[in-house]
Amino acid sequence: MVVVDTPQRMQEIANKLKREGKSIGFVPTMGYLHEGHLSLVREARKHNDTVVVSIFVNPLQFAPNEDLDRYPRDFKRDEQLLENEQVDYLFYPTVENMYPQGFQSFVEVEKLTKPLEGRSRPTHFRGVTTVVLKLFNIVKPDKAYFGKKDAQQLLVIKRMVEDLNLDIDVVGMPIVREEDGLALSSRNKYLNEEERKQAVCLYKALLRAKELIETGVEESKKIIEEMEKAIKQYELAKIDYISINRLSDLEELQKIEKNNTLVSLAVFIGNTRLIDNMWF
Ligand code: PAF
């Protein structure tokens, strides 16, 4: 595996791969890799000649009050994990290389970014789409892989790719969970022992929604009330939002729509904000 630390060098490599007719599968990450990331890497490895993974903790997508400075990092461990997965190139740029002095261009997906995460984190998706478009232009992937745990991020990136006519296939991959159901996330590292136990409440609430939907309950209000009850059994949990939205446009739904419904939630466990979702 070759570690590449400048956008210019990565672009030269991508251009050469293209000239040679090699397909490029790309997994953008912020590092501190877990099995969720590795499932994306394995999928990319299966379907592409070349696999590129990026590690870049993108300051643009963190608000000033968020966890940019303490976001977990462990480059050596990540490098070894990616080496084990036979990744070809690890793109690991610095903030100065990605956002040199004078940088002032941004990408904004207007409507899809407003509800859910956008309500709590109004500047987040502008940072995500800006860095992802930059990464796409640098790495020139044929296919790019994202986890469904960040469901809204996946939908926003798909929208950007369609709206801006990018010739990239965006692949969404299933959420990978711990044995008790907690969705894998680099932020789980912030949880202490008791918080970690109680963090399962997000999954428990989603299971409750699933149970209700499968027994024919359709009203969002009823499902959300039951999910709230499930969360309130955990004393360290504080709900940020629970929401039921149409998958295609993220409009709030009064009633479940078959094969087009996203049930999602964000919950603080102590000081750590976790998100999770299920697609119905
Ligand atoms: O999902 C993430 O880790 C980040 O939002 C991404 C897509 C790598 C952009 O910084």
Side-chain angles (χ1 to χ4, degrees), residues 28-30 37 56 58 61 124 128 131-132 146 150 153 157:
T29 81
M30 298 206 299
H37 298 112
F56 180 61
N58 172 35
Q61 68 190 74
H124 173 66
V128 170
V131 81
V132 170
F146 295 85
D150 294 303
Q153 168 172 284
I157 288 168

Side-chain angles (χ1 to χ4, degrees), residues 140-169:
K140 304 183 195 305
D142 296 278
K143 293 182 192 292
Y145 298 81
F146 295 85
K148 285 187 174 176
K149 188 181 138 275
D150 294 303
Q152 189 175 12
Q153 168 172 284
L154 173 63
L155 299 174
V156 165
I157 288 168
K158 277 185 186 257
R159 186 78 250 165
M160 173 183 80
V161 163
E162 190 170 329
D163 288 352
L164 302 183
N165 303 91
L166 306 181
D167 207 356
I168 297 170
D169 185 10

Side-chain angles (χ1 to χ4, degrees), residues 14-225:
N15 284 332
K16 180 162 178 289
L17 290 166
K18 294 267 118 166
R19 280 197 302 276
E20 291 167 352
K22 301 235 170 78
S23 63
I24 302 176
F26 177 42
V27 182
T29 81
M30 298 206 299
Y32 211 74
L33 304 176
H34 51 65
E35 277 298 312
H37 298 112
L38 298 182
S39 72
L40 309 181
V41 173
R42 288 174 197 138
E43 190 68 7
R45 186 68 286 168
K46 248 193 256 166
H47 297 285
N48 301 275
D49 300 319
T50 311
V51 176
V52 181
V53 176
S54 63
I55 295 181
F56 180 61
V57 183
N58 172 35
L60 265 194
Q61 68 190 74
F62 291 79
N65 61 333
E66 291 181 353
D67 55 343
L68 173 63
D69 291 338
R70 63 184 198 113
Y71 195 83
R73 293 161 167 91
D74 191 342
F75 180 73
K76 280 288 150 218
R77 181 175 157 277
D78 289 347
E79 189 183 24
Q80 189 56 57
L81 287 171
L82 296 174
E83 187 90 67
N84 296 347
E85 299 297 334
Q86 275 126 46
V87 167
D88 299 292
Y89 297 97
L90 168 53
F91 179 46
Y92 183 55
T94 60
V95 173
E96 292 71 30
N97 276 335
M98 287 296 275
Y99 301 118
Q101 248 203 335
F103 181 89
Q104 53 187 288
S105 304
F106 301 89
V107 184
E108 196 136 5
V109 173
E110 287 192 351
K111 287 198 198 130
L112 275 182
T113 56
K114 294 291 179 285
L116 304 174
E117 287 300 285
R119 200 161 288 154
S120 305
R121 308 180 71 192
T123 57
H124 173 66
F125 286 114
R126 180 186 195 244
V128 170
T129 43
T130 300
V131 81
V132 170
L133 182 61
K134 280 173 70 70
L135 290 167
F136 283 174
N137 284 330
I138 294 165
V139 173
K140 304 183 195 305
D142 296 278
K143 293 182 192 292
Y145 298 81
F146 295 85
K148 285 187 174 176
K149 188 181 138 275
D150 294 303
Q152 189 175 12
Q153 168 172 284
L154 173 63
L155 299 174
V156 165
I157 288 168
K158 277 185 186 257
R159 186 78 250 165
M160 173 183 80
V161 163
E162 190 170 329
D163 288 352
L164 302 183
N165 303 91
L166 306 181
D167 207 356
I168 297 170
D169 185 10
V170 174
V171 183
M173 293 291 292
I175 297 176
V176 179
R177 298 182 180 280
E178 301 276 10
E179 225 162 85
D180 66 353
L182 175 66
L184 296 192
S185 161
S186 307
R187 289 191 168 98
N188 293 350
K189 176 177 161 49
Y190 299 147
L191 303 169
N192 66 29
E193 203 178 324
E194 186 50 35
E195 289 168 344
R196 167 61 192 84
K197 276 192 210 146
Q198 298 202 19
V200 75
C201 67
L202 286 90
Y203 183 60
K204 294 281 187 215
L206 288 166
L207 284 183
R208 181 73 185 120
K210 182 167 185 280
E211 182 178 71
L212 291 164
I213 292 168
E214 284 174 356
T215 52
V217 177
E218 288 185 327
E219 295 75 33
S220 299
K221 192 163 166 280
K222 171 78 186 150
I223 296 167
I224 291 172
E225 273 169 18

